[in-house]
Amino acid sequence: MPQYFGQLPTTDQPWVTVGAVEAVSQSDRAVQLDCGESSVLISVIDAHLIRVRLAPHGEFFPQRPWAVVGDEDIERSPVPFEVVETPDTVEIKTDRLRIVVQRQPCRLTCLDNCDRPFAKDAEMGMGWRMGATAAWKQIEADEHFYGFGERTGFLDKLSEVKTNWTLDALDYNSLTDEMYQAIPFFIALRPEVGYGIFFNTTFWSQFDIGAAQPGTWSMETRSLAGMQTPPLDYYIIYGPDPATILGSYTQLTGRMPLPPRWALGYHQCRWSYDSETVVRELAQEFRRRRIPCDVIHLDIDYMRGYRVFTWSPQRFPHPEKLLRELAEDGFKTITIIDPGVKYEPEANYHVFDQGIDKDYFVRKADGQLFHGYVWPDKALFPDFLRPEVRQWWGNLHESLTSIGVAGIWNDMNEPAIADRPFGDDGKHIWFPLDAPQGAGEKRAEGQRGRGAEGQGSRGAITNYQLPITHYPVTTHAEVHNLYGLMMARASAEALEKLRSNERSFVLTRSGYAGVQKWSSVWMGDNQSVWEHLEMSLPMLCNMGLSGVAFVGCDIGGFAGNATAELFARWMQVGMLYPLMRGHSAMTTARHEPWVFGDRVEQICRKYINLRYQLLPYIYTLFWEAATTGAPILRPLLYHFPQDPTTYNLYDQVLLGAGLMAAPIYRPGIEHRAVYIPVGTWYDWWTGEAFAGPTHILARAPLEKMPLYVRSGTVIPMQPVVQFVDENPCNSLTLRVWVGQGEWTMYEDDGLSFDYRQGVWSTTTYRVNTVGEETIIEIDARQGQWTPAAREVVVEVVGVGQQRFSDDGTARCLQFTGSREQGAGSRE
């Protein structure tokens, strides 16, 4: 157990497990099982979505005001289910699954409609001991595990332990456990069966996926010593495929809003571009060299002595003028904001003074202000769990947005704190675990007993309220994992208010389940080594499988010096990242695309150009993420869950459903094995066809990242621009690969909130190839948004093309001819 949990209960006490079912009561939404002193409540949220709660002492805590999941039990309409009791079991049946509860002792087994078990209780079932609750379940044969939020290492997490506790993971590697994000959610997958588990706890928690006991996975959560034992609370989401599971999970925890289209372009950052002169020179170099870029990030040195919401009068004396000039040249500016507020009682620092006056900073249990050391030296920390503090903090952003800042980058918000000034060998600490936070205790409306008495085993839950006790005052032990999430929420809500006519961009290092509602995420301080380039793919894919689609890693690596070869290969991979940002640390060499010589500059330009050409396709993937919860960057198992070959395949990825990449992530490599899934796939560069499933050897000189397109795919492409809004898109090329397929393109103005009022459009394309004839059916444009006048080129790759002026009407285009080997080369 990590030493920072010395205040938590010891772990050598025996577990008390749930005993026999003594009574059963039912409502139109749930079944309660009374098992002596403890109670188990099984709520039917949807036909494929079940919530399970264990109250060790028969009482459930009410919902917390900051809960990331709504009270799903009462917010949704009741879902029909049937309860059948026998002397040995209690069976709960929906249209999609069955939960069979063994009575003696109480143990749960889920089964699909073909009687295949999943999420089945192991021998221990559910249990508790002082300050902790846990559950144990069986690992089925050929079962694999994904998600878990931000995780290093490979894609599949079988036989690993994953702890949910946010911390500054500086110098992380493939064996690191705790990271900046804590997302207690995973997907279990085997052929024909898939399910998700959301462990609904904000306390410290941990998954053990067969490490301690092969064949058994467990989840455990712990509260602070002296606190009430927390209830066990988790959701079971039946799939059977990852897309269905993620759709339900993101319905629970929220989905990302549509970002501004410029946020999909290339971002450039460094710790730090430390003066107005350096920033202007940077912007000029991008435009002079014709390398597209939309965003420049300003790290901590733009501030006056690292005081948040200030500007350095020496390095950035005229920020408004700088930002205006950058905007005129097509650049958006993002500024970093940390949570630590410099302790300056006599300095007339407005953020400190206001926070003290309003008592907005975190205090220890004895009432004394808590302080730690971060960039501004001694600092205090806002209590973002309190709505009034979030509103105050959000209003402070007006000093930035009023002069043109278009987005906020939240850093150090795990929170990352030292116990003495930086450079003095301080130890990493956090708020005292018993520090009170949030709005204090909250009592639920009404209480109810364990079910109607005098009705034998099967009572009726006449008033659907949980048997509750008042929840203890919230302490940091309960909300530590929420600190970064709530800071990101404060920023997002503020920017929507302060920039009410335009969408903004928010980036956070730390977060919890549901962070996608408020912010994009990057994978923190990675390193300029090949291993981190390789590891970025499973990291980002597992984030996508955890509901967080808008994610990226620092291209080139943050710490250390990239070689020319490493940077070129990383830029190729970075073209696929939903968030495409280059970043580097102040102690390293510069990492802009042109510093590695002409050959690497040309490679960077080529792949950044390709990113901008693909923006109509990528923007549609963001719309899918916003409306369905689908990831943007996807492991192959997402679309091929019945193919076990994909289960451990971490070094190939899909951008959407149709475009597959097999990057190079080792030095000196110019060939690699590529797995071709079922179906026909075409080489993006040469047009060569491959029939899967099979493996091929792909040639990949430094200038080439292997890319493949699935048959029947439609990929819209636009002309290269230097920034997203440089010109109206007056030409759209639809690249189509022969086969059978259907795809819908989404469009809106890319900037305003008008899409929320229906000002958007979709166009659906259908591809049907029979013999040498390919028919492209284009449905009439749907929706209230009309794009600028443009010519559309429909190119059936290797066959031919047709052009027309896009007036939004339905069309049917016919192409005759067979593909030729090598046709459609894009070298």
Side-chain angles (χ1 to χ4, degrees):
M1 190 71 183
Q3 63 179 2
Y4 49 80
F5 264 87
Q7 300 177 62
L8 286 183
T10 59
T11 59
D12 57 358
Q13 295 178 328
W15 290 99
V16 178
T17 58
V18 178
V21 176
E22 297 178 358
V24 179
S25 51
Q26 177 185 347
S27 75
D28 60 351
R29 300 174 185 269
V31 174
Q32 183 169 321
L33 310 170
D34 295 329
C35 307
E37 179 186 10
S38 63
S39 293
V40 175
L41 191 71
I42 302 173
S43 302
V44 180
I45 312 300
D46 209 332
H48 63 290
L49 176 59
I50 305 298
R51 184 180 185 184
V52 179
R53 277 170 281 187
L54 164 67
H57 306 294
E59 295 180 317
F60 294 86
F61 294 166
Q63 174 146 308
R64 303 301 256 158
W66 35 253
V68 299
V69 175
D71 198 341
E72 293 292 326
D73 300 43
I74 59 177
E75 289 180 354
R76 300 192 188 194
S77 299
V79 174
F81 65 91
E82 181 183 0
V83 177
V84 177
E85 291 192 56
T86 72
D88 297 323
T89 63
V90 179
E91 182 174 320
I92 304 167
K93 185 176 182 180
T94 76
D95 290 342
R96 298 287 304 280
L97 55 80
R98 291 186 297 133
I99 305 98
V100 178
V101 182
Q102 174 185 304
R103 288 182 181 267
Q104 180 64 41
C106 178
R107 299 292 183 265
L108 279 65
T109 298
C110 296
L111 301 112
D112 67 10
N113 285 337
C114 294
D115 286 336
R116 290 177 287 234
F118 63 95
K120 179 180 180 180
D121 281 0
E123 181 180 355
M124 292 278 285
M126 294 177 279
W128 66 93
R129 56 188 175 190
M130 185 180 67
T133 51
W136 296 262
K137 290 184 179 290
Q138 292 185 13
I139 298 174
E140 302 296 333
D142 300 320
E143 199 161 55
H144 301 261
F145 296 82
Y146 310 97
F148 301 96
E150 183 181 24
R151 299 297 178 180
T152 64
F154 293 126
L155 191 65
D156 183 6
K157 299 307 178 185
L158 182 64
S159 299
E160 297 184 20
V161 174
K162 296 302 169 195
T163 305
N164 301 300
W165 184 258
T166 63
L167 56 72
D168 181 359
L170 181 68
D171 297 327
Y172 65 81
N173 57 48
S174 62
L175 299 178
T176 299
D177 183 6
E178 301 98 323
M179 290 288 288
Y180 308 97
Q181 299 272 329
I183 302 177
F185 170 77
F186 70 79
I187 291 173
L189 184 66
R190 68 185 196 264
E192 308 297 337
V193 180
Y195 67 94
I197 295 288
F198 174 47
F199 197 10
N200 189 26
T201 176
T202 58
F203 288 101
W204 178 95
S205 65
Q206 189 175 76
F207 294 107
D208 182 321
I209 310 299
Q213 184 178 351
T216 299
W217 70 260
S218 65
M219 52 185 163
E220 177 185 353
T221 186
R222 301 184 185 181
S223 63
L224 188 63
M227 284 187 61
Q228 203 167 351
T229 299
L232 188 76
D233 186 350
Y234 66 96
Y235 291 81
I236 304 172
I237 307 169
Y238 172 67
D241 57 87
T244 303
I245 296 166
L246 275 176
S248 292
Y249 170 71
T250 54
Q251 272 190 311
L252 286 174
T253 59
R255 292 173 179 153
M256 61 172 283
L258 264 178
R261 204 163 179 263
W262 54 259
L264 281 56
Y266 180 67
H267 298 229
Q268 185 64 53
C269 183
R270 180 171 171 80
W271 175 37
S272 285
Y273 297 122
D274 60 357
S275 73
E276 292 183 357
T277 300
V278 173
V279 172
R280 285 191 173 93
E281 291 172 350
L282 176 75
Q284 290 165 7
E285 280 297 294
F286 272 104
R287 296 296 180 249
R288 183 177 72 82
R289 295 174 182 271
R290 305 294 293 171
I291 299 175
C293 182
D294 264 86
V295 184
I296 293 175
H297 292 241
L298 300 182
D299 212 316
I300 54 177
D301 291 300
Y302 81 88
M303 293 183 257
R304 178 174 61 87
Y306 309 126
R307 297 166 179 85
V308 289
F309 303 108
T310 69
W311 292 86
S312 167
Q314 289 78 36
R315 293 189 300 276
F316 290 84
H318 307 292
E320 185 171 6
K321 183 173 183 289
L322 171 68
L323 270 59
R324 183 175 65 250
E325 292 173 355
L326 290 174
E328 290 170 353
D329 210 10
F331 292 97
K332 306 293 184 182
T333 303
I334 307 296
T335 51
I336 197 169
I337 291 290
D338 293 346
V341 175
K342 186 173 179 62
Y343 183 86
E344 283 193 313
E346 307 296 334
N348 196 30
Y349 173 33
H350 68 291
V351 182
F352 173 84
D353 293 341
Q354 291 174 18
I356 290 293
D357 289 345
K358 297 178 181 294
D359 193 24
Y360 283 165
F361 295 121
V362 172
R363 293 181 178 272
K364 296 183 285 188
D366 63 6
Q368 298 297 308
L369 285 167
F370 169 77
H371 74 266
Y373 291 88
V374 282
W375 298 118
D377 203 49
K378 184 177 180 180
L380 305 179
F381 300 87
D383 182 358
F384 294 119
L385 271 293
R386 295 163 58 188
E388 68 273 21
V389 177
R390 293 197 299 272
Q391 183 175 2
W392 163 70
W393 187 261
N395 290 339
L396 292 168
H397 288 73
E398 186 174 11
S399 64
L400 301 172
T401 59
S402 64
I403 62 171
V405 169
I408 295 297
W409 165 20
N410 288 317
D411 197 14
M412 303 287 284
N413 55 346
E414 292 73 32
I417 314 170
D419 63 353
R420 64 193 71 178
F422 283 9
D424 289 352
D425 298 323
K427 294 181 180 179
H428 183 100
I429 60 170
W430 37 82
F431 308 157
L433 296 180
D434 61 353
Q437 281 190 256
E441 67 179 78
K442 179 180 179 181
R443 296 175 182 270
E445 297 289 336
Q447 298 188 16
R448 71 163 175 81
R450 292 179 175 237
E453 297 183 8
Q455 299 186 33
S457 170
R458 184 90 169 265
I461 305 177
T462 57
N463 176 19
Y464 191 70
Q465 295 284 342
L466 297 183
I468 57 172
T469 183
H470 68 273
Y471 214 125
V473 173
T474 311
T475 65
H476 187 68
E478 184 178 359
V479 298
H480 171 89
N481 287 332
L482 296 174
Y483 193 77
L485 173 77
M486 290 301 177
M487 183 185 183
R489 176 178 178 177
S491 299
E493 291 176 336
L495 291 179
E496 181 156 347
K497 181 179 72 172
L498 297 171
R499 303 182 76 248
S500 58
N501 295 322
E502 294 185 13
R503 299 176 230 170
S504 301
F505 173 79
V506 179
L507 179 64
T508 185
R509 193 169 77 175
S510 183
Y512 176 75
V515 67
Q516 65 273 4
K517 290 171 56 178
W518 310 110
S519 182
S520 61
V521 175
W522 95 106
M523 302 295 95
D525 294 339
N526 62 355
Q527 300 170 35
S528 299
V529 294
W530 289 93
E531 289 81 1
H532 278 238
L533 167 57
E534 176 184 8
M535 195 163 58
S536 72
L537 294 172
M539 286 185 78
L540 297 181
C541 284
N542 271 325
M543 283 292 284
L545 293 176
S546 303
V548 189
F550 198 178
V551 288
C553 292
D554 288 340
I555 295 171
F558 174 74
N561 297 322
T563 64
E565 182 186 9
L566 173 60
F567 193 82
R569 290 301 193 188
W570 212 318
M571 188 63 75
Q572 292 170 351
V573 176
M575 185 274 290
L576 306 165
Y577 294 168
L579 171 63
M580 187 184 187
R581 184 181 81 155
H583 190 28
S584 57
M586 66 159 51
T587 55
T588 69
R590 294 282 288 265
H591 275 182
E592 289 80 39
W594 51 84
V595 303
F596 298 95
D598 182 65
R599 184 184 184 190
V600 171
E601 179 180 342
Q602 290 187 43
I603 292 170
C604 292
R605 184 183 295 106
K606 172 182 176 179
Y607 283 89
I608 296 175
N609 281 348
L610 180 56
R611 167 77 170 208
Y612 277 72
Q613 288 177 287
L614 289 170
L615 281 178
Y617 178 70
I618 295 172
Y619 192 57
T620 296
L621 297 181
F622 273 79
W623 168 66
E624 289 181 15
T627 53
T628 71
I632 295 162
L633 189 70
R634 305 166 185 174
L636 269 63
L637 64 88
Y638 184 83
H639 287 289
F640 300 95
Q642 306 308 323
D643 182 354
T645 304
T646 67
Y647 288 1
N648 287 297
L649 192 58
Y650 70 92
D651 62 350
Q652 290 178 224
V653 291
L654 290 161
L655 189 62
L659 185 60
M660 181 176 70
I664 302 299
Y665 50 85
R666 284 285 184 265
I669 300 299
E670 293 194 344
H671 294 81
R672 64 154 291 174
V674 176
Y675 179 64
I676 302 296
V678 66
T680 302
W681 294 76
Y682 297 96
D683 187 304
W684 171 271
W685 307 108
T686 69
E688 183 178 0
F690 302 94
T694 190
H695 284 86
I696 63 170
L697 183 65
R699 181 174 176 270
L702 185 60
E703 284 74 15
K704 180 181 177 182
M705 176 176 66
L707 285 172
Y708 303 88
V709 187
R710 196 175 188 178
S711 65
T713 293
V714 178
I715 294 185
M717 300 181 71
Q718 67 177 34
V720 173
V721 290
Q722 296 308 297
F723 57 96
V724 162
D725 296 320
E726 182 180 23
N727 300 305
C729 182
N730 57 15
S731 176
L732 185 70
T733 298
L734 298 168
R735 300 196 79 215
V736 181
W737 283 261
V738 298
Q740 312 294 322
E742 179 179 319
W743 188 74
T744 298
M745 180 174 69
Y746 172 86
E747 299 177 278
D748 61 26
D749 65 23
L751 187 62
S752 76
F753 293 102
D754 290 351
Y755 74 93
R756 295 179 178 175
Q757 281 71 52
V759 186
W760 49 266
S761 69
T762 58
T763 306
T764 297
Y765 306 91
R766 296 181 183 84
V767 184
N768 183 29
T769 300
V770 178
E772 294 191 358
E773 183 176 74
T774 297
I775 303 295
I776 311 295
E777 295 181 3
I778 304 175
D779 287 356
R781 184 186 302 125
Q782 303 295 312
Q784 301 176 24
W785 188 76
T786 303
R790 64 190 179 192
E791 179 185 60
V792 174
V793 179
V794 178
E795 175 194 356
V796 178
V797 178
V799 177
Q801 60 180 235
Q802 297 183 34
R803 300 170 181 265
F804 60 86
S805 295
D806 185 12
D807 59 6
T809 59
R811 296 175 185 271
C812 184
L813 307 180
Q814 181 175 344
F815 295 81
T816 302
S818 61
R819 290 185 47 86
E820 299 176 4
Q821 183 84 0
S825 173
R826 300 188 64 81
E827 293 280 17

